[in-house]
Amino acid sequence: MADLGPGTDVPPRTRQTLALSAGLWLLRLLTAAGLAVDAYVHADLASNYHPATSTIGQDDLFRIEAAAAALAALLLLLFGTRPLVWAYALLVAAAGLAAVLLYRYVDVGTVGPLPDMYEPLWYREKTASAVAETAATLTAAAGLLLARHRRRRLRAADGPTRDGRRGGAGGRHRRPSGPGR
């Protein structure tokens, strides 16, 4: 047991909860940092592309990616214990990584309103974005798993609900079910 001072022992379950919270915070910071790099690079590069006249332009797509990544980073920092926030961060990071790899190695051409974004070369900003998106994807996946585990632990610790099932704030936030309800 860890000793926090005279006569203070920390129970194993509390230590596990503290370790889980610390791990989640570390993943929040790492993922937010990766998403912040992604947002910065895309916002910076958006002005290098010409605005589209009739369809969505590459500049628009870069601005949308920058905004989505910045929002995901902010949501993680504010609400990073919620699995839905982690799922959004994972989606943004993985989609950005998939796009940079696809348009680096495959000449997709124009698809509907999307422009031809094939760039068969690597440069500093593109590499930074890909590395940040890879790191954010991996840490977001780990964060999603950890946040789901944390939520299950908290629900299990709450005790049974009114209908006898385990978890869920003692049934206070569940809608009544069954006939006549």
Side-chain angles (χ1 to χ4, degrees), residues 140-159:
L144 176 59
L145 293 174
L146 205 56
R148 290 184 62 191
H149 176 70
R150 179 184 176 277
R151 176 163 282 184
R152 279 194 300 269
R153 276 181 67 112
L154 291 175
R155 285 188 175 162
D158 279 345

Side-chain angles (χ1 to χ4, degrees), residues 9-159:
D9 285 334
V10 179
R13 185 153 177 91
T14 302
R15 272 190 282 136
Q16 290 171 353
T17 302
L18 290 173
L20 186 64
S21 294
L24 199 55
W25 260 109
L26 178 62
L27 289 172
R28 285 165 83 170
L29 295 174
L30 292 172
T31 306
L35 289 166
V37 170
D38 179 24
Y40 173 78
V41 169
H42 281 88
D44 187 49
L45 291 177
S47 63
N48 293 348
Y49 299 99
H50 301 291
T53 55
S54 62
T55 62
I56 298 173
Q58 193 166 348
D59 62 324
D60 297 326
L61 292 172
F62 272 46
R63 286 185 183 95
I64 290 168
E65 172 66 18
L71 177 63
L74 181 64
L75 288 173
L76 273 178
L77 294 175
L78 296 176
F79 307 107
T81 58
R82 298 179 183 181
L84 186 60
V85 171
W86 284 100
Y88 175 68
L90 177 60
L91 176 69
V92 170
L97 179 60
V100 75
L101 292 176
L102 176 69
Y103 285 109
R104 163 56 180 93
Y105 294 108
V106 179
D107 187 0
V108 176
T110 302
V111 178
L114 301 178
D116 183 3
M117 297 190 297
Y118 179 62
E119 282 184 327
L121 54 107
W122 288 101
Y123 47 91
R124 189 180 62 225
E125 294 90 351
K126 189 178 199 175
T127 303
S129 174
V131 168
E133 289 163 345
T134 300
T137 299
L138 295 173
T139 55
L144 176 59
L145 293 174
L146 205 56
R148 290 184 62 191
H149 176 70
R150 179 184 176 277
R151 176 163 282 184
R152 279 194 300 269
R153 276 181 67 112
L154 291 175
R155 285 188 175 162
D158 279 345

